[in-house]
Amino acid sequence: MNLLLINPNTSEVMTAGIAAAARAVAFPGTTVHATQPTFGPRSIEGHYDEAIAAAGVAEQVRLHGAGADAVVIACFGDPGLDAAREATSAPVIGIAEAAFHAASFLATGFSVVTTMTRTCVIAEHLVHRYGFERRCRGIHGTDIPVLALEDGGAGCVDQIEAAAREALARDRSGAIVLGCAGMAALCATLSARLGVPVIDGVAAAVKFAEGLVALGLRTSAHGDYARPLPKVYDGWAAPLGW
Amino acid sequence: MNLLLINPNTSEVMTAGIAAAARAVAFPGTTVHATQPTFGPRSIEGHYDEAIAAAGVAEQVRLHGAGADAVVIACFGDPGLDAAREATSAPVIGIAEAAFHAASFLATGFSVVTTMTRTCVIAEHLVHRYGFERRCRGIHGTDIPVLALEDGGAGCVDQIEAAAREALARDRSGAIVLGCAGMAALCATLSARLGVPVIDGVAAAVKFAEGLVALGLRTSAHGDYARPLPKVYDGWAAPLGW
Amino acid sequence: MNLLLINPNTSEVMTAGIAAAARAVAFPGTTVHATQPTFGPRSIEGHYDEAIAAAGVAEQVRLHGAGADAVVIACFGDPGLDAAREATSAPVIGIAEAAFHAASFLATGFSVVTTMTRTCVIAEHLVHRYGFERRCRGIHGTDIPVLALEDGGAGCVDQIEAAAREALARDRSGAIVLGCAGMAALCATLSARLGVPVIDGVAAAVKFAEGLVALGLRTSAHGDYARPLPKVYDGWAAPLGW
Amino acid sequence: MNLLLINPNTSEVMTAGIAAAARAVAFPGTTVHATQPTFGPRSIEGHYDEAIAAAGVAEQVRLHGAGADAVVIACFGDPGLDAAREATSAPVIGIAEAAFHAASFLATGFSVVTTMTRTCVIAEHLVHRYGFERRCRGIHGTDIPVLALEDGGAGCVDQIEAAAREALARDRSGAIVLGCAGMAALCATLSARLGVPVIDGVAAAVKFAEGLVALGLRTSAHGDYARPLPKVYDGWAAPLGW
Amino acid sequence: MNLLLINPNTSEVMTAGIAAAARAVAFPGTTVHATQPTFGPRSIEGHYDEAIAAAGVAEQVRLHGAGADAVVIACFGDPGLDAAREATSAPVIGIAEAAFHAASFLATGFSVVTTMTRTCVIAEHLVHRYGFERRCRGIHGTDIPVLALEDGGAGCVDQIEAAAREALARDRSGAIVLGCAGMAALCATLSARLGVPVIDGVAAAVKFAEGLVALGLRTSAHGDYARPLPKVYDGWAAPLGW
Amino acid sequence: MNLLLINPNTSEVMTAGIAAAARAVAFPGTTVHATQPTFGPRSIEGHYDEAIAAAGVAEQVRLHGAGADAVVIACFGDPGLDAAREATSAPVIGIAEAAFHAASFLATGFSVVTTMTRTCVIAEHLVHRYGFERRCRGIHGTDIPVLALEDGGAGCVDQIEAAAREALARDRSGAIVLGCAGMAALCATLSARLGVPVIDGVAAAVKFAEGLVALGLRTSAHGDYARPLPKVYDGWAAPLGW
């Protein structure tokens, strides 16, 4: 199967890192095609960055979605998720939702450890919208800038571990969700150190996507995920219309 | 005061219509500056359209937000609302939230009558996110295309009235919220016919914005609405970075 | 327009203070008529006080509501709000709801700082009833007696500031709602000191009321806010029947 | 034990009827002292009526609460419940809450059949506030005026039965809650006809009150139900101060 | 009336203790028949123990339910509650739900103090399922093993008192719910020491059961609590089929 | 990997059918070991059946969990799910939760079509507990007995299709969840006929289990899913103790 892996920011280094994380867990028959928008922010650390990045996700699905068997959106805010589901009949999975779903299979409660504290509210909104408000017992910022994770985050692992330990104790949680695609490379280390399930959404999304494709399940085209209505798009977005 | 009124789609006819609706209710000291993105869909009738339009709202606030005392986002999905609040310290109000808040002052329960049924889920998500799930007793699609409202919607008024009457009876509601900025011109007619409060979000947003400005209240720059972090933006979005 | 401003307690000093706060923010065309019940508690610091005060609000709306274009109930528990909405077709706004709505336009989360800790539960019930349980991140008592605020609360400002600072940090909030009409005079000082939006419900209610009146919106008389049914009232309440 | 049974409206006929219903189920050692406010509406059919009646409940608890071992508030809106709990250390039970609690022991879901449709929203608010929103599957008005039940409601029983049957089918409910104290005398008849538990809140409240008293449990005086703070009350309410 | 009191674990000492607690509060006309499953864990301190114990409750109701006027399930997780309600038309009450309902009559918020911290999640699930998530302000483990309470828990009372005091302060609660049937004997002592209502679910359940029986109310046989469908049961459970 | 597939009822025919459904979708490297309790009901159609069956699941996990890499519980009520998670460190997935999670990736809303109407409340409780109350727009009983599905349900497919079509229209849903393991064989037919995603929980659970195992994720042993505490088990359950 062909998996379209979209990094919503424009950092090629991060795209490569996320692709590596995805390929490391993909089944042999899965080809990971990693991409990123042609425009937008180098990292996503707030609502404004995210709004532009969501349009970038829509662009990439519009351009490359036709050939994909599944799509993964590799930013913890799941930007453009609903848009992507309208734009392709392939299953589309965001890494935040994937991580939340995976954690729910493994513990009665989990905590999220993320980057900038200011983005906690984005995770809170997702938790609430997806219905995980009782499973998610805490969301914790570390104020590590996203791009500091570009090298795999090796320098940040102690800080993240400390935040995770405190979260486990204070939140009475049984698992940790990593709140940034850029933390994927740290997942094994943190899991070994913490002794609890540590969930990287990129890996979880890849496996869930493979599972859905194997079952022949596709995004519903009935109702609110029906293909976009035909209409004129203006400006740089002209090619994105239907 | 200067009110930046952003129509998130690229229909100039609709921008003009919304601007007229806003000016009709604005206080004499309010100058309405109506604008629209330089790119994106002519109308917003689904998640995909909305994702591009939200980036368009971010663009317009970035370009014109500095001189505004308040900003109104004139599409019922409130696209780009959080992004806009990061990008300016002026108060920013979406017309959906404005309509929901206004209706809550006037009735214990209200119903929304909107355009395409496929967009009802967008309104549902907003209702839930904003906390109006107990006030909002129903969301009803009429499957009137948004652009059919461009002329003020005169041809659609009977259809909307019928949907509103059914909603009032079935939902046990006391007020009607119009679920599209393009319905603004129909508000007075529908109000007269129905005999209950009929709320146009454009008008409500203008008045709430004027009120907040008069009180000297501005968007909080503390925490998650702090100004975007400085970073490189790529492609067409390069000028939008901070 | 004529604004009927009801102080639900019987402290004339507080009525005057609230009236001054309202007039300070009202548009020139707004005439503020401040009143208070002919009976009941001098201050409202619990459920029992509030039950009597709510009847007092009903009395005042019955006596003076006919000539009003809008009504504001100036106690943070919004006593008698639903009763008042049945008793007049003018829009009626409580200062707690007004403050919550205003704060929601300005921050993703806010904290309430109020007087007696024992009244926090009243605010909690309102937050929950109105649907602000996700926006309101904390309610904090200072145990300042309401009547200690009669002089404008100058002596209390440091204590309230300290509680607000702690709330902003602990609750990860972006705005402060003042939980007592008697704190209105402190709003500007606290806003300047704290550097975040500080919302006084009296001011917010006045502006929202002006906005609704300007739009010609009135309380719904359809359904559960229909005018009270005719019936005999006994005892001192005989004149209050319909 | 002495049970203070407060009818919040001023209909002596209804007070007598409610008292008879209470005495019919009370244990031999329970003395029922039935009372009603000295002022207020003859029946409670809306928010306005209820606001005055809640003050009447507060009055009666203030005057007679000292000698009571338990207090029951016999109107389905539970007016003045929190106020009464501050004003006496005896347990206080409202008939709506009693009925909801009782129904929760007997069925996974129940429906409420009440009088005026306009009062359904009052029951909705209670259901939501008390946390029965998943147990309560429907609230149905019959538009029977409250005073039509003064004679025991014999003429209304067919209409209420029909509404109950429809509710059981449509709501997939297993029990019926009678939404008015005036329906108490119909409970046995309806129960026999419907073949499901039919719950009269007056009877349920009496039994729960007896149970709490037998256990020596009293209203918490710690925190928000602590005795009212001492203060001046003005006008007719002067004797009600603490 | 005959009250079937089921201790879901197989500790005869604990059965005797719970029976004594029940008899101490039962009305003279109530005969308490205490029983325990013929199989399963000696104490219930987790999900696995509870799953076996719930089957034990079903067994006991199947064997002894026919002659009972009411059934009480005396373990704080309310194991087998829904099963028992299908298996008998007598009212069935769990001690957790009984305690939550009782506490709700006495305080706006309560805290639970229980045994093993690992069981807090069971109480959380019950609180949420029953709708007490706003009344229950905290659940606190003491890590006292259940069997350490077999002697009446005298050695544990100081530890439980300390946890309760901290809960009252931190949770802003007005009442304490004891989170284990084995704590029943400590209720009076803790109540005297703490000065707030302390609720033992065994006692509360007995009184609620007596009240329901006195009113002639029985579990609804309409819908989802209808008697189990006839079918073959295999293995040791063969006699349990219908 | 070794997948332990537990049919919670004792119907060998159904165990075989479920095993076939699981093997049909499993990856080549997955060995499905299908089992069923040694005791309990032949089908699960109510709370009582389910309570016994949950103990049966616990028994099977206790006996066979050690050698499993993952466990699937193949009854739509997810009986014994939490118990199983304590009793093995392998990931454990219930088919109801699996189906709900899968549907959430594919549609904004789904409907459940199940067997006996009396079991709808079990699905409702799961939906609510897992947090899918906004995704799940309806649960519909067909009153097909579970054992009528033993032959693959061919005779029932038209009835289920009709219920599904009505659900899609009335609930505004985009996907159908099959509410019984016995419907697994009908999934492809229904999917082809309905043209929307039709989700069989058995298949979904197998794929999610394979994904979690591939990632090396295991049930958290930290906190409330820690291994059961050592203790004596009595009667037939003696071998099940720890």
Side-chain angles (χ1 to χ4, degrees):
Chain A
M1 61 170 276
N2 290 309
L3 178 71
L4 176 62
L5 177 70
I6 303 175
N7 171 19
N9 71 38
T10 57
S11 161
E12 292 181 7
V13 173
M14 192 165 285
T15 303
I18 295 168
R23 288 186 185 111
V25 300
F27 287 120
T30 299
T31 302
V32 175
H33 174 60
T35 184
Q36 62 191 37
T38 63
F39 61 87
R42 287 278 170 92
S43 64
I44 301 172
E45 296 171 315
H47 305 289
Y48 180 87
D49 294 343
E50 190 178 65
I52 309 293
V57 170
E59 177 212 41
Q60 289 300 302
V61 176
R62 183 74 178 106
L63 298 181
H64 305 298
D69 295 301
V71 179
V72 167
I73 301 175
C75 168
F76 201 76
D78 293 352
L81 181 61
D82 283 323
R85 285 183 176 151
E86 276 187 0
T88 175
S89 59
V92 182
I93 298 186
I95 65 167
E97 59 168 3
F100 297 154
H101 287 269
S104 299
F105 289 131
L106 303 170
T108 65
F110 61 83
S111 299
V112 179
V113 177
T114 187
T115 51
M116 306 305 287
T117 301
R118 63 182 289 160
T119 67
C120 288
V121 75
I122 295 178
E124 274 179 19
H125 287 170
L126 291 180
V127 160
H128 180 246
R129 174 160 170 186
Y130 297 157
F132 292 97
E133 58 268 50
R134 292 182 294 274
R135 300 273 190 172
C136 178
R137 296 200 183 131
I139 302 174
H140 306 269
T142 57
D143 287 323
I144 298 171
V146 170
L147 294 183
L149 298 168
E150 272 198 340
D151 65 347
C156 311
V157 71
D158 291 348
Q159 191 177 347
I160 296 170
E161 181 192 352
R165 285 195 187 281
E166 192 182 337
L168 289 168
R170 271 195 8 204
D171 300 347
R172 230 180 55 211
S173 287
I176 295 292
V177 164
L178 300 179
C180 180
M183 294 178 180
L186 304 177
C187 188
T189 302
L190 287 166
S191 183
R193 290 195 192 175
L194 294 168
V196 301
V198 178
I199 294 139
D200 161 42
V202 177
V206 169
K207 302 317 284 184
F208 288 156
E210 288 174 332
L212 295 174
V213 169
L215 296 179
L217 289 168
R218 300 179 76 69
T219 301
S220 177
H222 180 81
D224 37 50
Y225 281 150
R227 201 56 56 92
L229 296 171
K231 70 187 54 170
V232 175
Y233 268 59
D234 288 303
W236 68 260
L240 300 189
W242 293 82
Chain B
M1 61 171 276
N2 291 310
L3 177 73
L4 176 62
L5 177 70
I6 303 175
N7 171 21
N9 71 39
T10 57
S11 162
E12 292 181 5
V13 174
M14 192 164 286
T15 303
I18 294 168
R23 288 186 185 111
V25 302
F27 286 120
T30 299
T31 302
V32 175
H33 173 60
T35 183
Q36 63 191 36
T38 63
F39 60 87
R42 288 278 169 91
S43 64
I44 302 172
E45 296 171 315
H47 304 289
Y48 180 86
D49 295 342
E50 190 178 64
I52 309 294
V57 169
E59 178 211 41
Q60 289 300 303
V61 175
R62 184 74 178 104
L63 299 181
H64 305 299
D69 296 301
V71 179
V72 167
I73 301 176
C75 168
F76 201 76
D78 293 352
L81 181 61
D82 283 323
R85 283 181 177 153
E86 276 187 359
T88 175
S89 60
V92 182
I93 298 185
I95 65 167
E97 58 169 2
F100 297 154
H101 286 269
S104 299
F105 289 131
L106 303 170
T108 65
F110 61 83
S111 298
V112 178
V113 177
T114 186
T115 54
M116 306 305 286
T117 301
R118 64 182 289 159
T119 68
C120 288
V121 75
I122 295 178
E124 274 179 20
H125 287 171
L126 291 180
V127 159
H128 180 245
R129 176 162 169 184
Y130 297 156
F132 293 98
E133 57 268 49
R134 292 183 294 274
R135 299 274 191 173
C136 178
R137 296 200 182 132
I139 302 174
H140 306 270
T142 56
D143 287 323
I144 297 172
V146 170
L147 294 183
L149 298 168
E150 272 198 340
D151 63 347
C156 311
V157 70
D158 291 348
Q159 192 177 344
I160 296 170
E161 181 192 353
R165 285 193 186 284
E166 193 182 337
L168 289 169
R170 272 193 11 204
D171 300 346
R172 230 181 55 210
S173 287
I176 294 293
V177 163
L178 300 178
C180 180
M183 294 178 180
L186 303 177
C187 189
T189 302
L190 287 165
S191 183
R193 289 195 193 177
L194 293 168
V196 301
V198 177
I199 293 140
D200 161 44
V202 177
V206 169
K207 302 317 286 183
F208 288 157
E210 289 174 331
L212 295 174
V213 170
L215 296 179
L217 289 167
R218 299 178 76 69
T219 301
S220 177
H222 180 81
D224 39 48
Y225 282 151
R227 202 54 56 93
L229 296 171
K231 71 186 54 171
V232 174
Y233 269 59
D234 287 303
W236 68 260
L240 302 189
W242 292 81
Chain C
M1 61 171 275
N2 290 309
L3 178 71
L4 176 62
L5 176 70
I6 304 175
N7 171 20
N9 70 38
T10 57
S11 161
E12 292 182 6
V13 173
M14 193 166 284
T15 302
I18 295 168
R23 289 186 185 112
V25 301
F27 287 120
T30 300
T31 303
V32 175
H33 174 60
T35 183
Q36 63 191 36
T38 62
F39 61 86
R42 288 279 169 90
S43 63
I44 302 172
E45 296 171 315
H47 304 289
Y48 180 86
D49 293 343
E50 190 178 65
I52 308 292
V57 169
E59 176 211 43
Q60 290 300 302
V61 175
R62 183 75 179 105
L63 298 181
H64 305 298
D69 295 301
V71 178
V72 167
I73 301 175
C75 169
F76 202 75
D78 294 352
L81 181 61
D82 283 324
R85 283 180 178 154
E86 276 186 1
T88 175
S89 59
V92 182
I93 298 185
I95 66 167
E97 60 169 1
F100 297 153
H101 286 270
S104 299
F105 290 130
L106 302 171
T108 65
F110 60 83
S111 298
V112 178
V113 177
T114 187
T115 52
M116 305 306 286
T117 301
R118 63 183 288 159
T119 68
C120 287
V121 76
I122 295 177
E124 274 179 20
H125 287 170
L126 291 180
V127 159
H128 181 246
R129 175 161 170 184
Y130 297 156
F132 292 98
E133 58 267 51
R134 293 183 293 275
R135 300 273 191 173
C136 177
R137 296 199 183 133
I139 301 174
H140 306 270
T142 56
D143 288 323
I144 297 172
V146 169
L147 295 183
L149 298 168
E150 272 198 340
D151 65 347
C156 311
V157 70
D158 291 349
Q159 192 178 344
I160 296 170
E161 181 191 352
R165 286 195 186 282
E166 193 182 337
L168 289 168
R170 272 194 9 204
D171 300 345
R172 230 181 56 211
S173 288
I176 294 292
V177 163
L178 300 178
C180 180
M183 294 178 180
L186 304 177
C187 189
T189 302
L190 287 166
S191 184
R193 290 196 192 175
L194 293 168
V196 301
V198 177
I199 293 138
D200 160 43
V202 177
V206 168
K207 303 316 286 184
F208 288 157
E210 289 174 331
L212 295 174
V213 170
L215 296 179
L217 290 167
R218 300 178 77 68
T219 300
S220 177
H222 180 81
D224 38 49
Y225 281 150
R227 202 55 58 91
L229 295 172
K231 72 187 53 170
V232 173
Y233 268 58
D234 288 303
W236 69 259
L240 301 189
W242 292 83
Chain D
M1 62 171 275
N2 291 309
L3 177 72
L4 176 63
L5 177 71
I6 304 175
N7 171 19
N9 71 38
T10 57
S11 162
E12 292 181 6
V13 174
M14 192 164 286
T15 303
I18 296 168
R23 289 186 186 112
V25 301
F27 286 120
T30 300
T31 303
V32 176
H33 175 59
T35 185
Q36 64 191 35
T38 62
F39 60 87
R42 290 276 170 92
S43 64
I44 302 172
E45 296 172 314
H47 304 289
Y48 180 86
D49 294 343
E50 191 179 64
I52 308 293
V57 170
E59 177 211 42
Q60 289 300 302
V61 176
R62 184 72 178 107
L63 299 180
H64 305 298
D69 296 301
V71 179
V72 167
I73 301 176
C75 168
F76 201 75
D78 293 353
L81 182 60
D82 283 323
R85 284 182 177 151
E86 277 186 359
T88 175
S89 59
V92 183
I93 298 186
I95 67 167
E97 60 169 1
F100 297 154
H101 287 269
S104 299
F105 289 130
L106 303 170
T108 64
F110 61 82
S111 297
V112 178
V113 176
T114 187
T115 52
M116 307 304 287
T117 301
R118 63 183 289 161
T119 68
C120 287
V121 75
I122 295 177
E124 275 179 19
H125 287 171
L126 291 180
V127 160
H128 179 247
R129 175 161 168 184
Y130 297 157
F132 293 98
E133 58 268 49
R134 293 182 294 275
R135 299 273 190 173
C136 178
R137 296 200 182 132
I139 301 173
H140 306 270
T142 56
D143 287 324
I144 297 172
V146 170
L147 294 184
L149 298 168
E150 273 198 341
D151 64 349
C156 311
V157 70
D158 291 348
Q159 192 177 345
I160 295 170
E161 181 192 352
R165 285 195 187 281
E166 192 182 336
L168 289 169
R170 272 194 9 204
D171 300 346
R172 231 181 55 212
S173 287
I176 294 292
V177 163
L178 300 179
C180 180
M183 295 178 179
L186 304 176
C187 188
T189 302
L190 287 166
S191 184
R193 290 195 192 176
L194 293 169
V196 301
V198 177
I199 293 138
D200 161 42
V202 177
V206 168
K207 302 316 285 184
F208 289 158
E210 289 174 330
L212 296 174
V213 171
L215 296 178
L217 289 167
R218 298 179 77 68
T219 301
S220 177
H222 181 81
D224 38 50
Y225 282 150
R227 201 55 57 91
L229 296 172
K231 71 187 54 169
V232 174
Y233 269 59
D234 288 303
W236 68 261
L240 302 188
W242 293 82
Chain E
M1 62 171 275
N2 291 309
L3 178 71
L4 176 61
L5 177 70
I6 304 174
N7 171 19
N9 71 38
T10 57
S11 162
E12 292 181 6
V13 173
M14 193 165 284
T15 302
I18 295 168
R23 289 186 185 112
V25 301
F27 286 120
T30 299
T31 302
V32 175
H33 175 58
T35 185
Q36 61 192 36
T38 62
F39 61 86
R42 289 277 170 90
S43 64
I44 303 172
E45 297 172 314
H47 304 290
Y48 179 87
D49 295 341
E50 190 178 66
I52 308 294
V57 170
E59 177 212 42
Q60 289 300 303
V61 175
R62 184 73 178 106
L63 298 181
H64 306 298
D69 295 301
V71 179
V72 167
I73 302 175
C75 169
F76 202 75
D78 293 353
L81 181 61
D82 283 324
R85 284 181 177 152
E86 276 187 0
T88 175
S89 59
V92 183
I93 298 186
I95 66 167
E97 58 169 2
F100 298 154
H101 286 269
S104 300
F105 289 131
L106 302 171
T108 65
F110 61 83
S111 298
V112 178
V113 176
T114 186
T115 53
M116 306 305 287
T117 301
R118 63 183 288 159
T119 68
C120 288
V121 76
I122 296 178
E124 274 179 19
H125 287 171
L126 291 180
V127 159
H128 180 245
R129 174 161 169 185
Y130 297 157
F132 293 98
E133 57 267 51
R134 293 182 292 276
R135 299 272 190 173
C136 178
R137 296 200 182 132
I139 301 174
H140 306 270
T142 57
D143 287 323
I144 298 172
V146 170
L147 295 184
L149 298 167
E150 273 197 340
D151 63 348
C156 311
V157 69
D158 291 348
Q159 192 177 345
I160 296 170
E161 181 191 351
R165 286 196 187 281
E166 192 182 338
L168 289 169
R170 272 197 6 207
D171 300 346
R172 229 180 56 210
S173 287
I176 294 292
V177 164
L178 299 179
C180 180
M183 295 178 180
L186 303 177
C187 189
T189 303
L190 287 165
S191 184
R193 289 197 193 174
L194 293 168
V196 301
V198 177
I199 293 139
D200 161 43
V202 177
V206 169
K207 302 318 285 183
F208 288 156
E210 289 174 330
L212 295 173
V213 170
L215 296 179
L217 290 167
R218 298 179 77 69
T219 301
S220 177
H222 180 81
D224 38 49
Y225 281 150
R227 202 55 56 91
L229 296 171
K231 71 186 54 169
V232 174
Y233 269 58
D234 289 304
W236 68 260
L240 301 188
W242 292 82
Chain F
M1 61 171 277
N2 291 310
L3 178 72
L4 176 61
L5 177 71
I6 303 174
N7 171 20
N9 71 38
T10 58
S11 162
E12 292 181 6
V13 175
M14 193 164 284
T15 303
I18 295 168
R23 290 187 185 110
V25 302
F27 286 120
T30 300
T31 302
V32 175
H33 175 59
T35 185
Q36 63 192 36
T38 64
F39 61 87
R42 289 276 170 91
S43 63
I44 302 171
E45 296 171 316
H47 304 289
Y48 180 86
D49 294 342
E50 190 178 65
I52 308 294
V57 169
E59 177 212 43
Q60 290 299 303
V61 176
R62 184 73 178 106
L63 298 181
H64 306 298
D69 295 301
V71 179
V72 167
I73 300 175
C75 169
F76 201 76
D78 293 352
L81 181 60
D82 284 323
R85 283 181 178 153
E86 276 187 358
T88 175
S89 60
V92 183
I93 298 186
I95 66 167
E97 60 169 1
F100 297 154
H101 286 269
S104 300
F105 289 131
L106 302 170
T108 64
F110 60 83
S111 298
V112 178
V113 177
T114 187
T115 53
M116 305 305 286
T117 300
R118 63 183 288 159
T119 68
C120 288
V121 74
I122 295 177
E124 274 178 20
H125 287 170
L126 291 180
V127 160
H128 180 245
R129 176 160 167 184
Y130 297 157
F132 293 99
E133 58 267 51
R134 292 182 295 275
R135 299 274 190 173
C136 178
R137 297 200 182 133
I139 301 173
H140 307 270
T142 57
D143 287 323
I144 298 172
V146 169
L147 294 184
L149 298 168
E150 273 198 340
D151 64 348
C156 311
V157 70
D158 291 348
Q159 191 177 345
I160 296 170
E161 180 191 352
R165 285 195 187 282
E166 192 182 337
L168 289 169
R170 271 197 6 207
D171 300 346
R172 229 179 58 211
S173 287
I176 294 293
V177 164
L178 299 178
C180 180
M183 294 177 179
L186 303 176
C187 188
T189 303
L190 287 166
S191 184
R193 289 195 192 176
L194 293 169
V196 301
V198 177
I199 294 139
D200 161 43
V202 177
V206 169
K207 302 316 286 183
F208 289 158
E210 290 175 329
L212 295 174
V213 170
L215 296 179
L217 290 167
R218 299 179 77 69
T219 301
S220 177
H222 180 82
D224 38 49
Y225 282 150
R227 202 56 56 93
L229 296 172
K231 71 186 56 170
V232 175
Y233 269 59
D234 289 303
W236 68 260
L240 302 189
W242 292 81

